Amino acid sequence: MPPAAAAARDPEEDAAPAHRLHGLRAVVFDTDGVITDSARVHAAAWKEAFDDCLREWRERGGGRPGEEPRDRFRPFDVQEDYRRYVDGRSRLDGAAAFLASRGLDLPPGEPDDPPGNGTVRAVAARKERLFTAALRQGGVEAWPGTLRLLRVLHREGVPMAVISASRHARELLSGAGVPQVFDAVVDGHEAARLQLPGKPDPAVFLEAVRRLGVPPGQAAVVEDALAGVEAGRRGGFGLVVGVDRTAGPTSARDLRDHGADVVVTDLAELLPPGPRAGRHDEEG
Ligand SMILES: [Mg+2]
């Protein structure tokens, strides 16, 4: 390639993906937190819904004899509680897991329960209302490092799928300006239609690679949720990449403990470090 033409291209985009992805035939990406920064919007909506619920139950005197109520009713932590109980899970599973962690044995409720604090479904409905309102206000963006990796893989013809526990995945991706590079989309609608269990069950990932026609052992999973990397491990995927956006002291270790083979803070780390070095190696 003449020097002028080489200089006109982004060297990072021109390079092959890092060696960890090399040799794998397909990649399955989670949506929230991996492609889009919407995890922040989810966490804020959960916090408002849960904190209101905790407040109401504290006022009702919901503490147990001899228990320190501060522990049980302390506000939802958008880092720790989000990561541990709701991230990557369906809305209902997430609501049930967090409320159970605080010993709030709310009845499951009915599918058409309006937003409120009396049942698990009501709390989940409140979160949904808050989240969709926030989505409509915009502000969800794609991570630049992810977009670079998607472009490189797409140019190399690597089959890619995107999965999400959310029914808003397509809306999120198009709203964030993510190019249509995916050969398969398994979102919350599809999971419900096919009755696929949620993460940490690997069903959605297995459905994604089935649609790509690639065995899981020859595909990578890229996930930011503990339940998600666990699903990747259970599904027997060739590589499980954990994405640690918080870079907290324990989060990378937790991702590894739950099944991540490698942990990155940004997907650009899956691109080679040196400009074009990987490409020359490949061609040599
Ligand atoms: Mg996620």
Side-chain angles (χ1 to χ4, degrees):
M1 183 185 293
R9 301 183 68 157
D10 178 347
E12 268 188 318
E13 281 194 37
D14 213 23
H19 67 280
R20 293 309 297 257
L21 289 179
H22 188 72
L24 292 164
R25 291 174 52 206
V27 185
V28 184
F29 294 88
D30 172 50
T31 305
D32 289 317
V34 170
I35 298 177
T36 59
D37 68 353
S38 39
R40 174 180 50 80
V41 185
H42 280 290
W46 277 123
K47 180 167 177 59
E48 195 170 338
F50 283 141
D51 285 357
D52 191 63
C53 180
L54 292 167
R55 199 177 307 120
E56 184 174 325
W57 283 88
R58 187 185 55 220
E59 284 165 11
R60 286 194 200 179
R64 289 165 175 162
E67 181 185 62
E68 177 53 70
R70 231 180 13 215
D71 285 344
R72 193 165 177 214
F73 297 113
R74 71 184 182 280
F76 177 79
D77 184 307
V78 292
Q79 302 278 351
E80 269 310 299
D81 289 327
Y82 180 75
R83 221 159 51 83
R84 210 155 277 290
Y85 301 112
V86 297
D87 189 15
R89 293 206 162 98
S90 75
R91 196 160 57 246
L92 268 188
D93 288 351
F98 173 73
L99 293 169
S101 80
R102 299 297 182 85
L104 289 183
D105 305 318
L106 267 57
E110 301 298 327
D112 55 353
D113 275 359
N117 295 329
T119 68
V120 174
R121 283 187 189 271
V123 176
R126 178 115 202 273
K127 184 266 175 179
E128 168 71 356
R129 177 183 282 180
L130 292 163
F131 178 74
T132 50
L135 264 196
R136 269 185 225 113
Q137 289 172 5
V140 173
E141 292 178 2
W143 294 92
T146 302
L147 291 178
R148 287 210 293 275
L149 181 66
L150 291 178
R151 283 195 286 264
V152 169
L153 293 174
H154 182 60
R155 202 168 56 224
E156 299 202 339
V158 176
M160 290 187 279
V162 61
I163 65 97
S164 177
S166 168
R167 291 166 190 256
H168 301 290
R170 287 175 192 271
E171 193 185 337
L172 274 173
L173 292 169
S174 65
V178 177
Q180 295 189 2
V181 294
F182 300 105
D183 305 286
V185 179
V186 185
D187 63 5
H189 283 297
E190 286 292 277
R193 185 176 69 81
L194 300 170
Q195 298 186 315
L196 303 177
K199 307 169 200 173
D201 190 287
V204 286
F205 290 108
L206 295 174
E207 173 64 16
V209 284
R210 189 189 67 74
R211 293 183 186 191
L212 297 179
V214 175
Q218 295 176 26
V221 159
V222 187
E223 252 291 350
D224 67 323
L226 297 179
V229 293
E230 187 177 336
R233 175 164 65 184
R234 285 201 209 171
F237 280 79
L239 179 72
V240 179
V241 179
V243 184
D244 175 20
R245 299 289 185 194
T246 68
T250 61
S251 44
R253 194 184 61 215
D254 282 351
L255 283 166
R256 284 198 184 86
D257 288 348
H258 280 76
D261 300 305
V262 56
V263 175
V264 299
T265 57
D266 190 279
L267 269 61
E269 290 169 50
L270 296 170
L271 295 163
R276 294 174 56 79
R279 191 173 187 95
H280 284 296
D281 288 348
E282 298 292 325
E283 290 172 355

